[in-house]
Amino acid sequence: MEALFEGILSVSWQQLVMMAIGCVLMYLGIKKEYEPTLLVPMGLGTILVNIPNTGMITQGPGSPVGVLDVLFEAGIETELFPLLIFIGIGAMIDFGPLLQNPTMLFFGAAAQFGIFFTIFVALFAGFSLEQSASIGIIGAADGPTSVFVANQLAPDLLGPITVAAYSYMALVPIIQPPAIKLVTTENERKIRMKYKAENVSRLTKILFPIIITLVAGFIAPASLPLVGFLMFGNLMRECGVLDRLSETAQNELVNLVTILLGITIAKTMTADQFLNLQTLMIIGFGLVAFIMDSIGGVLFCKVVNIFRKEKINPMIGAAGISAFPMSSRVVQRLATEADPQNFVLNYSISANVAGQIGSVVAGGLILGYFV
């Protein structure tokens, strides 16, 4: 009889707290529909790994190997899961709006400001350079990139970095509006931009992922696993002869791998690894990175406007983060609030997809520094 209650009697308050966190993650995924394919399995996994003597993770020498340890070694340590997700993301993205407005590439680069700002903040707070770089990459607003970089530079921080990165991605509609309004006036948010519909040839769409891969490879070779898989997915979409593979990558592949990634990351979310001051600091610095990315992009636009006759709506800069398409929708909503007739979605989408490229290149540059 005592054996039946052994698990209940041995559970610690820290483990109960982590189970509550798991429930919150599942609530956000199910009720709020925030990144459900990631937060639901991550939340359930967090509960499972914090049950005393759980068989989900290896308990010690001689004990059975936990299934999450097997998945972690196969999908995270090898970095397979994040790269497979990038194939699906690439297949989802239409670079047409960006090719119509190629100057938006600069806004995708400017919106990575928060990454490097946060690296210095984390260094000042006492984190090592590798840990600081991993924390800063949360500002890329790109979950797979955060996992990829953190796994190489600071695997001990993988859990909180992943939770922070994906949580803030899901909370873009809540985080970005106050940050944007902080550094813009209502008149600036009312700025209208002329839209010119231009067709982009199929050849251009095919050549674009190839050229981006080559350019990124020469500038930041360490980014090629990220950029290469992202652009491979996009090439499948645009080449016209791999439609079935493209559709599979967009739907079945990305959903399945994201689910596996979520429940596997839960392995790092045990009470002894997660409940500490360091984790709280990482989550806080991740929020700083996210906010500074948005502010940096807006300020870059405002500087550019000094030299332009036709002004750019500065909110476009905030759409340069990698959270696609949520950030572009946020910018359009704010533009409509200021002026119901203001339509900037095409430009904000252009900056948003540019942010996808900017985030993976930034991750590659950081990795390249340490390689």
Side-chain angles (χ1 to χ4, degrees):
M1 194 68 178
E2 184 180 344
L4 294 176
F5 294 97
E6 183 179 354
I8 297 175
L9 295 174
S10 61
V11 69
S12 67
W13 69 266
Q14 292 94 336
Q15 289 171 321
L16 291 175
V17 169
M18 289 305 301
M19 292 181 191
I21 291 174
C23 291
V24 171
L25 293 176
M26 286 194 290
Y27 170 80
L28 293 174
I30 297 171
K31 180 67 175 179
K32 300 296 185 181
E33 298 186 8
Y34 294 161
E35 299 287 342
T37 53
L38 183 98
L39 294 188
V40 172
M42 184 184 290
L44 179 60
T46 301
I47 294 173
L48 296 175
V49 300
N50 283 284
I51 294 174
N53 303 314
T54 177
M56 296 295 292
I57 55 178
T58 307
Q59 294 299 318
S63 61
V65 177
V67 63
L68 291 188
D69 290 281
V70 176
L71 286 173
F72 194 88
E73 292 176 5
I76 304 298
E77 289 186 351
T78 63
E79 298 173 341
L80 178 63
F81 288 169
L83 295 179
L84 289 178
I85 290 174
F86 264 108
I87 294 178
I89 293 173
M92 292 177 183
I93 295 176
D94 178 9
F95 284 113
L98 176 60
L99 293 172
Q100 292 177 12
N101 307 287
T103 56
M104 291 294 115
L105 276 170
F106 295 106
F107 299 107
Q112 311 309 315
F113 166 74
I115 297 175
F116 303 97
F117 175 86
T118 307
I119 290 175
F120 289 105
V121 173
L123 275 172
F124 183 77
F127 288 93
S128 69
L129 183 57
E130 290 83 356
Q131 290 175 328
S132 300
S134 301
I135 294 169
I137 206 66
I138 296 172
D142 191 330
T145 299
S146 298
V147 173
F148 189 86
V149 173
N151 187 57
Q152 292 197 39
L153 301 184
D156 54 316
L157 305 183
L158 185 59
I161 286 175
T162 303
V163 172
Y166 277 100
S167 297
Y168 294 145
M169 281 176 61
L171 295 173
V172 162
I174 297 174
I175 296 173
Q176 273 205 307
I180 293 172
K181 290 181 179 180
L182 181 66
V183 289
T184 59
T185 65
E186 185 174 359
N187 285 335
E188 287 176 327
R189 295 194 292 274
K190 288 181 178 179
I191 293 176
R192 296 187 180 187
M193 300 176 66
K194 294 180 180 179
Y195 171 64
K196 298 179 181 178
E198 297 179 4
N199 292 325
V200 179
S201 69
R202 179 186 171 195
L203 178 61
T204 301
K205 289 187 174 183
I206 292 174
L207 290 177
F208 182 75
I210 299 173
I211 294 171
I212 289 294
T213 302
L214 291 172
V215 172
F218 285 111
I219 295 176
S223 71
L224 276 180
L226 299 169
V227 176
F229 276 65
L230 179 71
M231 293 302 157
F232 172 60
N234 188 251
L235 185 60
M236 286 198 304
R237 172 194 176 98
E238 302 297 352
C239 69
V241 294
L242 297 173
D243 290 344
R244 292 180 64 183
L245 282 176
S246 176
E247 291 173 5
T248 300
Q250 293 179 50
N251 299 299
E252 286 82 1
L253 176 64
V254 71
N255 288 333
L256 174 61
V257 179
T258 303
I259 288 171
L260 289 174
L261 175 67
I263 199 166
T264 304
I265 288 296
K267 172 187 178 293
T268 67
M269 296 180 65
T270 56
D272 58 335
Q273 296 183 71
F274 203 84
L275 288 181
N276 51 63
L277 177 61
Q278 186 181 67
T279 296
L280 293 176
M281 293 175 68
I282 290 170
I283 293 174
F285 288 152
L287 180 60
V288 170
F290 224 82
I291 292 173
M292 293 308 298
D293 266 0
S294 300
I295 290 176
V298 171
L299 294 180
F300 176 76
C301 275
K302 295 178 80 165
V303 171
V304 170
N305 276 346
I306 296 175
F307 307 96
R308 286 178 60 96
K309 183 177 180 180
E310 293 186 6
K311 305 301 182 184
I312 299 172
N313 190 310
M315 293 192 296
I316 298 299
I321 66 172
S322 181
F324 178 84
M326 291 176 288
S327 186
S328 55
R329 291 173 179 169
V330 167
V331 168
Q332 177 57 48
R333 176 166 60 83
L334 292 175
T336 304
E337 287 178 3
D339 176 1
Q341 302 302 317
N342 195 2
F343 187 80
V344 297
L345 186 60
N346 185 268
Y347 290 96
S348 62
I349 287 178
S350 301
N352 212 177
V353 297
Q356 285 281 337
I357 299 172
S359 67
V360 294
V361 172
L365 287 171
I366 289 174
L367 287 175
Y369 177 81
F370 293 99
V371 172

